[in-house]
Amino acid sequence: MNQIFAFYLRTFDRQQQREMGHQIQDMLVKCKFGNEVCKPDNFTFFYNLQHGNCYTFASSQDSNRSQ
């Protein structure tokens, strides 16, 4: 069954695949990093064929370190 679903999922374009998957706004209930509250904007989206929508956390503290 998973192989059939994966086959049909590949027929959709990236935008359709993203819309069908979980959205960070729906999953992020409560998040705090250091003394900062996390928001969906603190996450970077990427799509994985095996796992679907994935998100990587990038705090503002991380961006301050690179400057």
Side-chain angles (χ1 to χ4, degrees):
M1 186 62 115
N2 287 340
Q3 291 174 341
I4 294 169
F5 178 75
F7 172 79
Y8 283 107
L9 186 61
R10 288 186 182 107
T11 65
F12 295 105
D13 67 33
R14 290 287 185 210
Q15 184 62 34
Q16 291 170 317
Q17 291 172 346
R18 182 176 185 165
E19 290 171 2
M20 289 174 48
H22 295 291
Q23 304 303 309
I24 189 71
Q25 305 89 298
D26 300 328
M27 295 187 300
L28 188 64
V29 176
K30 186 175 182 180
C31 177
K32 195 169 185 182
F33 181 76
N35 292 327
E36 293 184 47
V37 174
C38 308
K39 301 174 195 158
D41 294 342
N42 296 120
F43 293 81
T44 302
F45 169 82
F46 68 96
Y47 187 81
N48 178 286
L49 276 176
Q50 184 175 3
H51 300 290
N53 291 354
C54 297
Y55 301 89
T56 302
F57 178 71
S59 74
S60 61
Q61 290 179 4
D62 290 341
S63 62
N64 289 338
R65 285 186 199 145
S66 64
Q67 295 177 351

